[in-house]
Amino acid sequence: MVKRRTINIGFIGLGIVGQGVWKHIQRNRAELEQRLGARLVLYRAAVRDPAKKRPVRIPPSRICVDPLAVATDPKVDIVCELMGGTTLAKKATLAALKCGKIVVSANKALLCQSGEMLFRAARKGRGHFYFEASVAGGIPIIKVIREGLVANRFDLIYGILNGTCNYILTRMDQESLTFEETILEARRLGYVEADESLDLDGWDTAHKAVILGHLAHGNWIKLRHVPVEGIRRITLEDIRWARDLGYKIKLLGIVSRDSQSGKIFVRVHPTLIPKDNILAHVDDVYNGISVTGDIAGTTVHIGRGAGQDATASAVISDITDAVSALLGKPSTLPAEEEIGGEIFPAPEAELADLSEISGHYYIRLNVVDKPGVLAEVSAVMARKEVSIASVIQPKVSLGKRATLILTTHTSNEKIIQETCRNLKKLKNVLTAPFLLRIADFKD
Ligand code: NAP
Ligand code: HSE
């Protein structure tokens, strides 16, 4: 009988994801080991509170409180960073990579902030860094873009990348619950991150969009160059009016590349998606990503974007790649910048300006209900050459106030934002205009 190599796995963090990985490796150990030709040992783990009761039973002798001890343990072959955060997690990840270890990470915030540094450290230490679980949980989107669609150039990738926001928008749409009611529900179900702003203000989606941007174009777009809007201002009425207009509202992360100029734009905002677009039907905590490549055309990927099992599935996939790398089996491509020991840096991406992003818009105005107000509004829009496509004044009694829902023909981000600023200055416009983008993606 051939003696199998033993691979020791060290965990930094045994929370929702860490325990899921531990549990599923235990459950499927025989099949995994058979496929890999190696013996997997859950060697040790670092946690904050070793006394905490965990649904997954872990022998106390394997638990410590020092992430760096796991990261640098000479006996650990693969380090799974499943702790989160960008300070200690970064220190531990860099320490492990410096030792030449393979790191598997689900930490999208860290990757977005320090991806370049982590990749460099992996190259320098001759280790690897795998991150399938960082975007869209159980959907193997990293492999899809990096491997399956490697032949393509990507003019458009867009998707629902945050399960929590999608759950909230779905419940508002299907159950007519307010944002405040659904957020309570999402909190109760444990969907919302400890720092809620990551989900609700669009930052988690932005982290994932930046990672997708890197995979597609080879550049780490700085978060400060990404316009990010969350879902807090969306009302039940916006959802109803969007529905009447033939749309669903979804929070999208969008990575687009102008095929002529090659300029790249990464953005995050709630978007009105036509009901006949597949992503309009991706509901609850599910994620959905549309990837358009110049050769393959459009492929759409849907699945559970968060949660213990889906995320564990992605982490275990990375662990199996890591084992293959340790055994010298060619199962994945090398990091994209390093081929055959030679470094091929991607050319610096040119970022598109707001004025180069065009589309259709939805504007909700809270106005004084009296003659001439609509004329004032349309005059502001006409001065900016924004053409109105439709106007609705819902028949609801708001006393001396009224709501106006306007949609526009094609304009651009710069002009529409200036228009909204000018509308806000009108005495008869009572609150800041609420702007949503309407998806006019071809696929
Ligand atoms: P979690 O449940 O909060 O678990 C965090 C783990 O890290 C806990 O075991 C905690 O220890 C440990 N930890 C925290 N600070 C520590 C410290 N200073 N020293 C040692 N251990 C420490 O988080 P999670 O949901 O599993 O998420 C882990 C990572 O996966 C994050 O980067 C997250 O963004 C990412 N992710 C999560 C999901 C998801 O659905 N949850 C999906 C995709 C990606 P204690 O248990 O003792 O508190
Ligand atoms: N908070 C994230 C979400 C977790 O709701 O999608 C998965 O990355």
Side-chain angles (χ1 to χ4, degrees):
M1 203 171 82
V2 185
K3 194 166 177 307
R4 286 183 178 166
R5 175 162 168 197
T6 295
I7 306 287
N8 288 332
I9 307 173
F11 286 71
I12 300 179
L14 268 180
I16 294 170
V17 180
Q19 290 184 67
V21 175
W22 190 288
K23 177 175 76 182
H24 289 298
I25 289 184
Q26 298 279 37
R27 203 168 61 89
N28 292 344
R29 176 188 294 284
E31 292 92 326
L32 278 171
E33 290 186 343
Q34 171 68 29
R35 277 181 214 156
L36 289 168
R39 208 167 76 82
L40 300 178
V41 174
L42 304 172
Y43 187 73
R44 68 186 297 200
V47 295
R48 192 172 21 205
D49 175 9
K52 195 190 263 183
K53 289 234 170 323
R54 296 169 207 276
V56 173
R57 281 179 54 80
I58 291 130
S61 59
R62 306 221 172 175
I63 304 258
C64 70
V65 289
D66 182 3
L68 283 166
V70 174
T72 56
D73 185 329
K75 292 226 167 85
V76 168
D77 300 297
I78 301 170
V79 174
C80 294
E81 191 275 283
L82 304 171
M83 172 171 76
T86 52
T87 311
L88 191 49
K90 179 170 163 184
K91 233 181 178 174
T93 301
L94 286 173
L97 292 172
K98 203 169 162 195
C99 298
K101 293 192 190 301
I102 301 186
V103 176
V104 170
S105 173
N107 193 337
K108 57 250 167 174
L110 176 60
L111 194 52
C112 172
Q113 182 214 64
S114 304
E116 200 165 352
M117 185 190 286
L118 300 179
F119 282 20
R120 208 180 310 124
R123 278 199 303 273
K124 207 165 159 207
R126 307 211 71 75
H128 286 279
F129 184 80
Y130 295 115
F131 51 98
E132 184 62 68
S134 64
V135 182
I139 307 173
I141 194 66
I142 309 288
K143 279 201 169 72
V144 164
I145 297 177
R146 180 187 256 181
E147 299 177 25
L149 296 173
V150 70
N152 293 261
R153 304 184 82 173
F154 301 98
D155 285 345
L156 182 62
I157 298 177
Y158 67 95
I160 299 165
L161 304 175
N162 184 274
T164 306
C165 288
N166 203 32
Y167 178 79
I168 291 171
L169 294 174
T170 304
R171 295 289 289 164
M172 288 173 77
D173 182 29
Q174 294 179 353
E175 305 298 329
S176 296
L177 297 171
T178 61
F179 178 80
E180 288 72 25
E181 285 166 332
T182 47
I183 185 77
L184 289 178
E185 211 181 56
R187 278 189 201 126
R188 222 176 17 249
L189 290 166
Y191 290 159
V192 192
E193 301 254 358
D195 175 0
E196 295 192 353
S197 175
L198 286 172
D199 289 322
L200 305 181
D201 296 318
W203 296 108
D204 177 73
T205 302
H207 294 151
K208 294 165 179 171
V210 164
I211 296 170
L212 293 179
H214 174 263
L215 287 168
H217 304 294
N219 290 111
W220 287 106
I221 310 295
K222 299 270 178 296
L223 203 52
R224 65 173 180 276
H225 293 140
V226 179
V228 180
E229 286 172 30
I231 62 165
R232 289 189 207 255
R233 286 189 68 202
I234 297 171
T235 63
L236 207 43
E237 286 71 29
D238 288 315
I239 290 184
R240 285 196 196 120
W241 294 322
R243 193 191 301 148
D244 291 349
L245 290 162
Y247 299 101
K248 288 255 216 120
I249 301 180
K250 297 287 183 189
L251 181 68
L252 293 188
I254 304 170
V255 181
S256 54
R257 177 183 163 278
D258 185 273
S259 54
Q260 243 104 79
S261 67
K263 288 185 186 173
I264 293 166
F265 200 52
V266 180
R267 61 208 146 111
V268 172
H269 49 62
T271 310
L272 275 72
I273 305 186
K275 281 192 184 143
D276 59 6
N277 182 309
I278 301 171
L279 292 197
H281 304 280
V282 173
D283 287 330
D284 293 314
V285 282
Y286 277 74
N287 282 189
I289 306 171
S290 169
V291 182
T292 300
D294 60 346
I295 305 175
T298 298
T299 56
V300 180
H301 310 265
I302 296 170
R304 287 185 188 280
Q308 186 172 67
D309 294 341
T311 313
S313 162
V315 172
I316 295 170
S317 145
D318 278 349
I319 290 175
T320 65
D321 281 348
V323 172
S324 298
L326 285 166
L327 300 181
K329 294 185 190 169
S331 87
T332 53
L333 290 180
E336 57 267 58
E337 297 91 345
E338 184 177 4
I339 296 167
E342 224 180 307
I343 308 292
F344 292 90
E348 197 60 38
E350 222 188 313
L351 298 182
D353 183 75
L354 287 184
S355 62
E356 293 168 281
I357 301 301
S358 61
H360 301 164
Y361 297 87
Y362 164 109
I363 303 173
R364 165 167 46 89
L365 295 175
N366 179 15
V367 297
V368 175
D369 194 7
K370 67 174 192 188
V373 173
L374 185 56
E376 283 176 18
V377 167
S378 56
V380 167
M381 300 186 70
R383 271 198 295 280
K384 283 286 172 192
E385 296 187 9
V386 175
S387 171
I388 297 173
S390 69
V391 183
I392 306 174
Q393 180 173 340
K395 279 198 200 129
V396 279
S397 171
L398 297 170
K400 292 189 168 33
R401 293 184 295 112
T403 299
L404 289 180
I405 308 295
L406 302 147
T407 64
T408 74
H409 289 298
T410 304
S411 183
N412 73 53
E413 280 285 330
K414 188 157 182 258
I415 297 217
I416 210 77
Q417 287 184 21
E418 286 167 5
T419 305
C420 284
R421 279 196 290 276
N422 291 350
L423 286 170
K424 192 177 165 199
K425 288 182 199 152
L426 292 178
K427 213 167 71 245
N428 290 318
V429 171
L430 299 169
T431 51
F434 181 50
L435 177 71
L436 288 171
R437 285 79 182 171
I438 298 177
D440 45 11
F441 309 130
K442 302 285 177 291
D443 295 285

